[in-house]
Amino acid sequence: MNVWLASQSERRASMLTPLFPSLVCKGFVELDETPLPGTVDQQVLSICHKKAAAVEDEHGYDLVIVSDTLLADPDDMEHTLGKPSDSVEAAMMLHRLSGRRHQVWSATGIQVMGQWRFFVEHSIVEFEDLSDERLVELVLSESWKGKAGGYDLAGPMGAHASLVEGKESTVLGIAGEAMEILHSFTESSPS
């Protein structure tokens, strides 16, 4: 199956490559990822729709996948935490999330035979109280780069955070139901 992950996310690519060994991972260089106003689920879905709209009609792939992830601010569920722009912003986000629970929202679009289907889900993650030294280590690891909320649950933060509710794939960047459907494509394809 000829699959295009329209994303620059190494984490999403690592999740999908075992399913689709010939996966092409190529994101959009000049795409405005500013969400439309609304609730967190509406915001993350609006970015996912922008990515889907950027996919050319004649792309030549059997399957196209777009996705986006945002965190709900634990102090204001209508405000989002996106990707930190630098190490200072990453440290501020991690400090804000330290010792708390928060929602991670992912929206994923799957295009098959020219038709899009979208999925939006959230999971709940809890951080342990992070010491100043631990915060510095996490920021210096640079695992925050390109990650909503400034962390990667499958990276160094995994030792300091736990999934409380929902699916891990949602936290890592692909809505859980979408991931299940992507698994079904590999189960139904001939060997």
Side-chain angles (χ1 to χ4, degrees):
M1 181 174 274
N2 193 7
V3 182
W4 173 22
L5 171 62
S7 172
Q8 296 178 32
S9 167
E10 292 176 16
R11 176 62 58 215
R12 288 185 188 110
S14 70
M15 294 167 65
L16 294 174
T17 300
L19 299 176
F20 308 106
S22 61
L23 179 78
V24 173
C25 183
K26 178 179 61 175
F28 306 105
V29 179
E30 298 293 325
L31 183 70
D32 176 15
E33 293 190 23
T34 306
L36 297 174
T39 59
V40 179
D41 58 325
Q42 292 168 335
Q43 290 182 49
V44 74
L45 184 59
S46 75
I47 297 169
C48 195
H49 278 287
K50 284 183 183 185
K51 291 179 179 182
V55 172
E56 302 162 358
D57 289 337
E58 300 298 321
H59 49 69
Y61 292 92
D62 301 317
L63 185 69
V64 180
I65 305 159
V66 296
S67 203
D68 199 73
T69 303
L70 293 173
L71 272 68
D73 185 323
D75 293 321
D76 178 0
M77 296 296 282
E78 298 299 310
H79 185 257
T80 60
L81 300 177
K83 300 172 193 168
S85 57
D86 57 33
S87 60
V88 172
E89 192 174 2
M92 289 171 47
M93 285 184 185
L94 293 175
H95 180 70
R96 182 179 202 109
L97 298 170
S98 178
R100 305 176 76 186
R101 288 183 178 189
H102 60 276
Q103 292 181 344
V104 180
W105 288 85
S106 282
T108 303
I110 301 173
Q111 184 192 58
V112 180
M113 297 170 44
Q115 299 297 311
W116 284 100
R117 183 166 174 206
F118 293 91
F119 307 86
V120 181
E121 292 182 30
H122 79 277
S123 291
I124 298 175
V125 174
E126 183 173 44
F127 278 19
E128 65 184 41
D129 282 316
L130 300 171
S131 66
D132 290 343
E133 294 80 17
R134 183 71 62 219
L135 276 169
V136 169
E137 287 174 15
L138 289 166
V139 171
L140 290 177
S141 76
E142 297 190 346
S143 61
W144 56 268
K145 288 187 173 182
K147 305 291 189 296
Y151 74 93
D152 179 1
L153 189 65
M157 182 53 80
H160 311 287
S162 57
L163 181 66
V164 175
E165 182 181 305
K167 297 191 174 126
E168 184 177 40
S169 67
T170 300
V171 180
L172 298 177
I174 299 175
E177 187 179 356
M179 195 67 184
E180 290 172 9
I181 287 172
L182 293 168
H183 272 283
S184 74
F185 281 113
T186 60
E187 294 164 1
S188 62
S189 51
S191 301

